[in-house]
Amino acid sequence: MSVLVVCACALFAGNQARAVFTDVTNAGDDVAATQLNLADGSLDPFTNFPGAEGPDKAIDDSASSGSKYLSFTGAGLNDNGEQAFNPTGFVVVLDAPAAIGGVQFMTANDFASRDPGVVQIFGTNLAGTASDIASLATAGDLTEVYNGATGVPSFATVNDGRGVVTPAQLFPESDPFAAYVVIIRDLVRYDGNAPTNFQFAEISLLQVPEPSTVVMVGLAGLAMVGMVRRRGR
């Protein structure tokens, strides 16, 4: 489980409070590659990825940008950037049901033209393993919780921005779900590079802190400010 620090939407005596958002996934969680059937909204199994660069690498909490999930089908786009195949991603079953309110990516070690640009996230309480869900889930089993930007920017060249943790994208908190489905719907586009394969080193599904936690963090920040001011007198 990775721990991220992002700005909370609160100000205390002119000082910005910071709240800790945690990743609900853990290295070793049950994962399975999947694809979203655009015809009916169901999930289907997916195997077009290298054995050593499968979906387990997306949540392995590794600081190495070379530990990555690489999908050769990607977002299902052809060389012209048009939807030609079903978009792909993965299913992760959590240790316990959790709500999320954000997502954050770490870029992989090469080819910025493979960076994910748009992500669609579903929650589900369908019983079974990640492989079961990746094979059997219907549209009725899935609840969309986010469909939007990944936060991965367009870098100066396709060789830049490797191994970078990009800005977290926050959204309204979901209901608690036992599993989540992550589907990449588009890539960061670069002229002269076909938007076909996708890859990323890490994804964090962010749990929103309780309001009381934000308040406590803010009060702690005020206390620290007070101590500094007293010492400065």
Side-chain angles (χ1 to χ4, degrees):
M1 175 183 289
S2 58
V3 179
L4 306 170
V5 179
V6 297
C7 293
C9 296
L11 293 177
F12 296 89
N15 295 285
Q16 192 171 53
R18 290 183 178 272
V20 175
F21 286 63
T22 56
D23 182 2
V24 300
T25 70
N26 291 285
D29 281 349
D30 184 22
V31 298
T34 194
Q35 57 184 319
L36 178 67
N37 189 323
L38 296 178
D40 62 10
S42 66
L43 299 182
D44 291 318
F46 172 69
T47 59
N48 192 17
F49 57 88
E53 296 176 341
D56 58 305
K57 302 299 184 184
I59 60 163
D60 64 359
D61 293 339
S62 172
S64 169
S65 61
S67 177
K68 63 188 181 183
Y69 177 28
L70 167 60
S71 166
F72 290 132
T73 304
L77 307 177
N78 61 22
D79 289 351
N80 296 319
E82 303 161 335
Q83 197 76 53
F85 314 99
N86 290 329
T88 65
F90 68 94
V91 177
V92 56
V93 177
L94 307 182
D95 289 341
I100 63 170
V103 62
Q104 188 168 39
F105 284 83
M106 175 180 171
T107 60
N109 60 333
D110 55 13
F111 302 116
S113 55
R114 294 178 176 179
D115 288 346
V118 175
V119 62
Q120 188 174 21
I121 303 173
F122 301 92
T124 183
N125 287 314
L126 182 65
T129 66
S131 293
D132 292 336
I133 297 170
S135 304
L136 302 174
T138 66
D141 298 317
L142 306 176
T143 299
E144 184 182 87
V145 301
Y146 181 67
N147 189 350
T150 59
V152 180
S154 178
F155 296 101
T157 76
V158 294
N159 298 313
D160 294 326
R162 302 304 81 211
V164 171
V165 177
T166 59
Q169 304 300 293
L170 305 182
F171 47 83
E173 184 179 23
S174 72
D175 292 330
F177 290 102
Y180 285 93
V181 181
V182 175
I183 301 292
I184 303 302
R185 297 304 306 264
D186 201 354
L187 305 187
V188 178
R189 303 293 185 97
Y190 288 85
D191 291 341
N193 292 270
T196 50
N197 306 339
F198 78 61
Q199 64 179 17
F200 51 91
E202 194 77 16
I203 183 174
S204 297
L205 302 180
L206 304 179
Q207 188 172 48
V208 180
E210 294 293 331
S212 58
T213 302
V214 176
V215 172
M216 289 303 294
V217 170
L219 291 176
L222 278 177
M224 290 298 294
V225 170
M227 289 175 64
V228 170
R229 287 177 176 171
R230 285 195 296 274
R231 289 176 180 174
R233 289 177 179 174

